């Protein structure tokens, strides 16, 4: 599996594009729509799915553009399903973001199932709940590749914010300790500031 990272200008959020022999997955398509679509065009493979670690606006800004170009299903946690369509909940509609358009995304096709072992076009992964940054935050674990995409839960040498609506410091610490720190020798790749791109040793 090849992993490609796109650093988006809004909030310095990272989008990850995963590629195997036959298809791609897109994790958290952010604000740089042209770069995301250009990368997918260069790869020239079907987009099997869009996976969302959570639905804050900076992680979903290019969902509709990728949908329009490739028609992939979107997977999201049920706890944040309505946030896609609500600028207040995804934070794009707050007064401090009056300089940007509201982010509104159509409903997701699938709710993530924490009991399922996923196999989408030979991308094998499982999903664990890692709330605390937001109520529906999740991490995607690719055991075969020893890689985890932990959203904004865990950064290098620090953790995600917990002061946003539905955030909870104790819940975030518990998520990290019970869902991530218990994993055996996996590289953790998060989706936010590039200076905190990965958390390798724990």
């Amino acid at each position: 599996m090849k992993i490609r990272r796109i650093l988006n200008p809004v909030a310095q959020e990272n989008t990850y594009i995963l590629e195997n022999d036959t298809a791609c997955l897109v994790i958290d398509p952010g604000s740089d729509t042209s770069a995301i679509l250009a990368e997918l065009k260069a790869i020239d493979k079907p987009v099997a799915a869009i996976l969302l670690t959570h639905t804050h606006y900076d992680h979903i800004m290019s969902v509709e553009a990728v949908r329009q170009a490739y028609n992939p299903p979107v997977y999201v946690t049920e706890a944040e399903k309505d946030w896609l369509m609500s600028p207040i909940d995804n934070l794009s509609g707050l007064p401090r973001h009056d300089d940007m358009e509201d982010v509104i995304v159509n409903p997701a096709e699938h709710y993530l199932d924490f009991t399922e072992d996923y196999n989408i076009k030979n991308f094998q992964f499982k999903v664990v709940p890692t709330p605390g940054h937001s109520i529906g935050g999740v991490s995607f674990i690719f055991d075969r590749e020893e890689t985890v995409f932990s959203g904004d839960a865990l950064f290098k040498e620090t953790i995600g914010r917990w002061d946003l609506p539905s955030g909870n410091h104790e819940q975030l610490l518990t998520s990290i300790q019970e869902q991530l720190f218990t994993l055996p020798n996996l590289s953790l790749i998060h989706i936010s500031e590039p200076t905190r791109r990965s958390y390798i040793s724990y």
Side-chain angles (χ1 to χ4, degrees), residues 27 31 35 48 59 63 84 129 157 183:
I27 299 178
S31 62
H59 293 250
V63 167
L84 293 170
E157 298 177 352
L183 297 172

Side-chain angles (χ1 to χ4, degrees), residues 5-8 12-16 28 190-192 194:
R5 179 179 67 93
I6 294 172
L7 174 61
N8 296 283
Q12 296 290 285
E13 182 263 352
N14 286 325
T15 292
Y16 287 93
D28 290 2
H190 83 99
I191 317 291
S192 197

Side-chain angles (χ1 to χ4, degrees), residues 6-9 17 31-42 62:
I6 294 172
L7 174 61
N8 296 283
I17 299 175
S31 62
D32 198 341
T33 301
S34 60
I36 294 168
L37 293 180
E39 192 71 35
L40 291 171
K41 183 177 180 180
S62 292

